[in-house]
Amino acid sequence: MGERSGVRTEVDSFGPIAVPADRYWGAQTQRSLGNFPIGEERMPRPLIHALGLVKLAAARTNMALGALDRRRGEAIARAAREVADGMLDDHFPLVVWQTGSGTQTNMNANEVIANRANELLGAPLGTRDPVHPNDHVNLGQSSNDTFPTAMHIAAVRELHERLIPALEHLFAELEAKREAFADIVKIGRTHLQDAVPLTLGQEFSGYVRQVENGLARLRAAMPRLLELAQGGTAVGTGLNTKRGFAERFAAEVAELTGLPFVTAPNKFEALAAHDAMVELSGALNVLACSLTKIANDIRLLGSGPRCGIGELRLPANEPGSSIMPGKVNPTQAEALTMVCAQVMGNHVTVTVAGAHGHLELNVYKPVIAHAVLQSIRLLGDAVRSFTDRCIVGLEPDRARIADFVERSLMLVTALVPRLGYDAAARIARKAHEEGLTLKEATLALGLLSAEEFEALVRPEAMLAPRE
């Protein structure tokens, strides 16, 4: 290794290459920087941290199986822990758009950990001795099983630490609103036209159930995500690992994360297909549909303040217009629905990428990881923001809601069992065309007395099936 003007020389099977002297990465990472000048999307940090856990668990497993001496193994484990803890994020510069197996990023991790381990052992960077990136850090591993293992670990951790807690928070706040709004009778709307009454609490109960179902779908996808490919090595056979490596490795990851990871029962499937990630993306896609509906409903119900529906008063978080003074917009709903649009697009990407598992290896791993982890991150952040800055502060406009109920023509539906559909339609038509109330139109047509009308048309009695 030679150093000159802020660089050092590293070597791989292609020969020497100059690397920044203050970076832990080595030759293969540097070559990737030159070979893939594509976009700005770097490998997701949760994936890098998961790779740190993979290398830590592998070092422990290899030491336990007698494949790696303790001096090297402990140094690798310490360096890998620094990667897992985010302490070395600046040393992972590679973009998503690289080889489809993620080999460059796996080698980025191997090189960073090897150089940091050598530094811990008192050796200069770039020596590849006593710790070698391939022979020791990558011992018993291939990019083909390491990268999908990191994908699963990252996805599961992000679900548990970010998205599921955010959805549970939204669920609780929507449930609180459902209870608070249980006594507010309002007009329903179908086809964006007036319909029969329901309570605002009943309307919100639909949103509660959507979020509850979204959580259930994420949890239902979890068992397949908890299966780890590590131990399959290049094509699923486990070549160059020791017997028992896969099982012991999974147990190490479970201990490190506190999550019930297990070794995948079939390593050929785990390398060649990423159906578990496609399944998760599908659950995220459904969740995005649900959240779009909820956010759109809330901004419709909050439209106004004077010329819209205006049944809900949304929190005023910031000025809404650069030209219209005093305007306040439903910005949290807009942000959430934009996130949902991105998630839906990501699912298309993951679907296409997941379908291209050619023979023994899917070679769309980085873009699958990028899309799924972005969807989880965006949904987790947006859901929490929407909950805290919109749902928590929602208030009903009881007077406006009551006025809509009083003026609605669709209350005539309560007369159908007594008068029949055609007679009820005549009442609604007459009231609409002549600007009458339903009661006035009914009396004018001579179909009921005032007392009979008032006994039949009671919005509070139209909220459930009849006895």
Side-chain angles (χ1 to χ4, degrees), residues 254-300:
E255 181 181 341
L256 288 166
T257 61
L259 296 166
F261 287 103
V262 297
T263 189
N266 188 297
K267 303 299 189 297
F268 305 101
E269 184 270 346
L271 271 61
H274 293 308
D275 294 349
M277 295 291 279
V278 179
E279 179 185 14
L280 171 59
S281 183
L284 296 170
N285 188 61
V286 176
L287 179 61
C289 292
S290 299
L291 294 170
T292 297
K293 187 264 192 293
I294 294 168
N296 279 337
D297 278 10
I298 286 173
R299 63 175 164 182
L300 282 172

Side-chain angles (χ1 to χ4, degrees), residues 1-3 8-12 19 23-27 71-72 111 113-136:
M1 182 192 75
E3 293 199 18
R8 70 174 185 274
T9 300
E10 290 247 4
V11 179
D12 62 8
V19 175
R23 301 291 92 177
Y24 286 125
W25 69 70
R71 178 171 176 262
R72 288 188 178 95
E111 291 174 342
I113 292 168
N115 269 324
R116 176 61 179 139
N118 283 328
E119 185 177 60
L120 291 169
L121 293 173
L125 303 187
T127 59
R128 298 157 72 92
D129 183 65
V131 177
H132 191 283
N134 299 83
D135 295 339
H136 304 121

